[in-house]
Amino acid sequence: MPPTVGVVVFPGTNCEHDVVHALGLLGMHAEIKWHGDAGLGDCDAVVLPGGFAHGDYLRPGAIARFSNVMTSIVEMARAGKPVLGICNGFQVLTEAKLLPGALQKNAGLRFICDVEKLEVVSNRSVAGGLMQPGEIISLPINHFEGNYTCDQVTYDSLVENDQIVFKYVDNPNGSVGSIAGISNSRGNVVGMMPHPERAVEEIVGGTDGRKVLASFIQAVLNA
Amino acid sequence: MRVQGPGAWGRSYLAGYFTLRYEAVVEVLLKDGVSDPEGMTILDAVVSLGYGSVERVATGKLFRLLLNADDENAAADVVTQIAEQLLSNPVLEDFRVRDLLAAASS
């Protein structure tokens, strides 16, 4: 069986087909997995795509954390397998405590749908291996709660352990340290607010997302 | 009305026979130091309404839970656990269980 990436769907997730399509363009087999099913046993990696899991009720990601599939995702994260949360998926990963900090409402209270320049800060994680630190890429963002927040101790440890993957060049949402994406200390779990899967074809606004997803695929193949 | 639990004797005597019904209100507010853009926007509106004496508005959520428990302490324990695990995110928010009241017993 070829390496497979599971793409998890919660009620309200809406970017799963984009992720499957984008990974497919880069030659990676991906399968959609329903959140209520426990098993991701046949998957080598997992993506939690964007959307509004459980309607973002309570807080984005707060309810999704209790889905059956989360047990498998926690096991995969512990086993060192690549886990990527995009947008709402990032929010789920922080609520599940697989990543530190939290995402709160954007400073300025606007839903932001725009293309942002990002600086690659670390290429140590599963989402950065094919890029160079300092490299600037452009990816779309599309969120209301993307304002990354953590206390000073957490921020210092993110810096010290090289866990900041992407920073906004022009911080659009008030995130601490302009953070757009982080990894866990091991580097196998990454959460990012920008959408790499929406930037894989020139006709729809750039291909920088390919660099992120190709890095992820490389990590899947090497895991 | 503050809860009048069955007391130590009553608790052991009544345990397992029937439970009491409680209503709890859990208040969740952003921690001090966490930016509250919604609160700041509301403050602007309050001030432009003419209430310049208001210095700060903090936003949050309020939850009302109706539950069955053996006594007030047991009810408070359960509500606190729920508030910690689900209703609040400790990175951003503090919670307070308030107004734990005995409702009609079942």
Side-chain angles (χ1 to χ4, degrees), chain A residues 58-59 62 65-66 95 101-102 104-109 147 149, chain B residues 30 34-35 37-38 41 61 63 85-89 91-93:
Chain A
L58 192 58
R59 298 176 304 277
R65 171 159 80 91
F66 296 98
E95 283 286 343
Q104 68 148 336
K105 294 184 182 79
N106 295 339
L109 288 179
N147 180 353
T149 304
Chain B
L30 288 168
V34 171
S35 72
E38 216 167 348
T41 306
K61 296 189 184 104
F63 303 89
Q85 291 171 37
L86 178 62
L87 301 182
S88 70
N89 179 331
V91 177
L92 301 173
E93 299 161 329

Side-chain angles (χ1 to χ4, degrees), chain A residues 137-219:
Chain A
I137 62 171
S138 292
L139 292 180
I141 62 167
N142 189 240
H143 60 244
F144 184 61
E145 272 126 336
N147 180 353
Y148 182 78
T149 304
C150 63
D151 59 27
Q152 190 64 42
V153 175
T154 306
Y155 179 74
D156 291 344
S157 77
L158 288 175
V159 173
E160 196 173 316
N161 299 327
D162 200 23
Q163 286 176 244
I164 300 173
V165 183
F166 302 109
K167 272 191 342 191
Y168 299 108
V169 172
D170 303 305
N171 191 349
N173 55 24
S175 292
V176 168
S178 300
I179 285 174
I182 57 168
S183 74
N184 62 351
S185 56
R186 193 169 174 179
N188 68 307
V189 179
V190 170
M192 59 189 295
M193 289 311 298
H195 287 270
E197 80 283 8
R198 295 190 192 173
V200 293
E201 284 164 294
E202 210 56 72
I203 195 169
V204 285
T207 55
D208 283 352
R210 286 183 179 232
K211 297 178 183 174
V212 178
L213 295 175
S215 298
F216 184 71
I217 289 169
Q218 186 199 42

Side-chain angles (χ1 to χ4, degrees), chain A residues 3 40 50 73 104 107 146 222:
Chain A
L40 286 172
I73 292 172
Q104 68 148 336
N222 290 341

Side-chain angles (χ1 to χ4, degrees), chain B residues 21 24 31 50 54 56 101 106:
Chain B
R21 217 156 193 228
K31 281 181 194 293
V54 179
R56 192 180 160 204
L101 298 170
S106 57

